[in-house]
Structure formats: C-alpha cells, structure tokens
Amino acid sequence: MRKPVIPYSFLLICVFIFVFHIHPVYAKSVSIKRIWTSNTDGSEKTTFSPGTKITVHVEITPDANNSVSVSGEIIGTKKSKNGRRGKKWLVQLDKKKLEAGGQNAINWNETIPENSKLNSTALIRVKTKAGNKSKSKKTTISIASEAASTPTPATSPAPSPNLTPLPSL
C-alpha cells in the first residue's frame, strides 16, 4: 500500500498562512462596555423621581498604552409652563482620568433636578478618550413620581346569614 504524498509546496503554503495569520491580540483603543444607574443604596434602577440622588456607573475596557479620560452628561426636560414644551436641563458628569492598564470602572453621584418633567425620559451620554481615539455611548432613564405605596386595608369577610331550618310538614 502506498502512502499519500503531500507536495512540499502545499506544506509551505500552509505554514505561511498559519504564521502570518496568528498575531497577538491587544486592545487598540478604549471601549465602553456598559452604562447603568443605581440609587444611593447601590440597587440598580432606571426610574427616578425629581430631586433624588442617582449614581451613574460606567464600565470600560481601557487602552493598554494610554490613559483614558471619561466624562458625560445627563439631559432631560423641565416641567412645562402654560402648556408649552419644557426646556432642557443638563447635569454635567465631571471628567475623570484612568491610568493605562488600571481600573476599569467609574461612577458619578448626581441629583435629578427638582424641576424635571414627570413621565419623561432623560438621556445619559458618556464619552471616553484615549490618545486620539474617542468613543461615546448612551442610555436612558425614566423620570416619574415614585410615591410610596400605601397598604390596602384588609377587608373582613361579611358575616354569613344564619339559615334557620324550615318546618317540615
């Protein structure tokens, strides 16, 4: 029985493809993995009342070679006057800096303005910059009144009428 012969040129082509298509993987720029919000207790939420404190969290993949600056803003609508469309409100998320290869999460503690329109949404936009590369990502939150729930009083069952036996004939 004869063994199959593989030509050397085919082997050289396979080695060439293998060698030049395998290369180290590294982060070329910064990316924003996730944006989420929570209350002051740290419980993740997406609905807030006007005047309440909010924490904006951002998880990023930092650039291995450059420090990263992260900033952002929350934009919403004010209560309207005279039935007109309300103007916009803005809360700036101050610029923070991450060192290369360091931490990968940032958060800001802010307050939703008292004059925010109820039953509306607000946009959270976060921007990152590492070297000459920049990224941006958005998410939304709801502005609604979070009235404390009042317990419903328990109803006691109505007394059942006593049936008297009917006289038999």
Side-chain angles (χ1 to χ4, degrees), residues 48-59:
F48 297 90
S49 295
T52 58
K53 296 225 178 257
I54 178 175
T55 302
V56 178
H57 306 269
V58 179
E59 184 179 356

Side-chain angles (χ1 to χ4, degrees), residues 49-109:
S49 295
T52 58
K53 296 225 178 257
I54 178 175
T55 302
V56 178
H57 306 269
V58 179
E59 184 179 356
I60 65 169
T61 302
D63 187 325
N65 302 320
N66 294 317
S67 61
V68 178
S69 64
V70 185
S71 62
E73 57 195 10
I74 307 172
I75 304 169
T77 306
K78 293 179 182 179
K79 292 178 188 173
S80 61
K81 296 179 181 176
N82 303 328
R84 295 181 184 175
R85 186 174 179 185
K87 294 184 178 183
K88 300 289 183 187
W89 55 260
L90 172 72
V91 174
Q92 284 292 133
L93 303 175
D94 295 331
K95 185 185 283 188
K96 295 188 177 187
K97 198 165 196 163
L98 299 174
E99 294 306 318
Q103 106 191 54
N104 62 355
I106 289 182
N107 58 49
W108 292 269
N109 294 310

Side-chain angles (χ1 to χ4, degrees), residues 148-162:
S149 62
T150 56
T152 318
T155 56
S156 58
S160 60
N162 291 338

Side-chain angles (χ1 to χ4, degrees), residues 125-156:
R125 183 179 314 145
V126 175
K127 302 171 192 171
T128 62
K129 186 171 184 181
N132 60 358
K133 306 274 186 191
S134 61
K135 299 281 178 168
S136 177
K137 193 168 188 172
K138 303 174 200 172
T139 191
T140 58
I141 58 170
S142 299
I143 308 297
S145 76
E146 295 176 318
S149 62
T150 56
T152 318
T155 56
S156 58

Side-chain angles (χ1 to χ4, degrees), residues 41-52:
D41 296 334
S43 301
E44 191 168 331
K45 307 177 53 168
T46 57
T47 302
F48 297 90
S49 295
T52 58

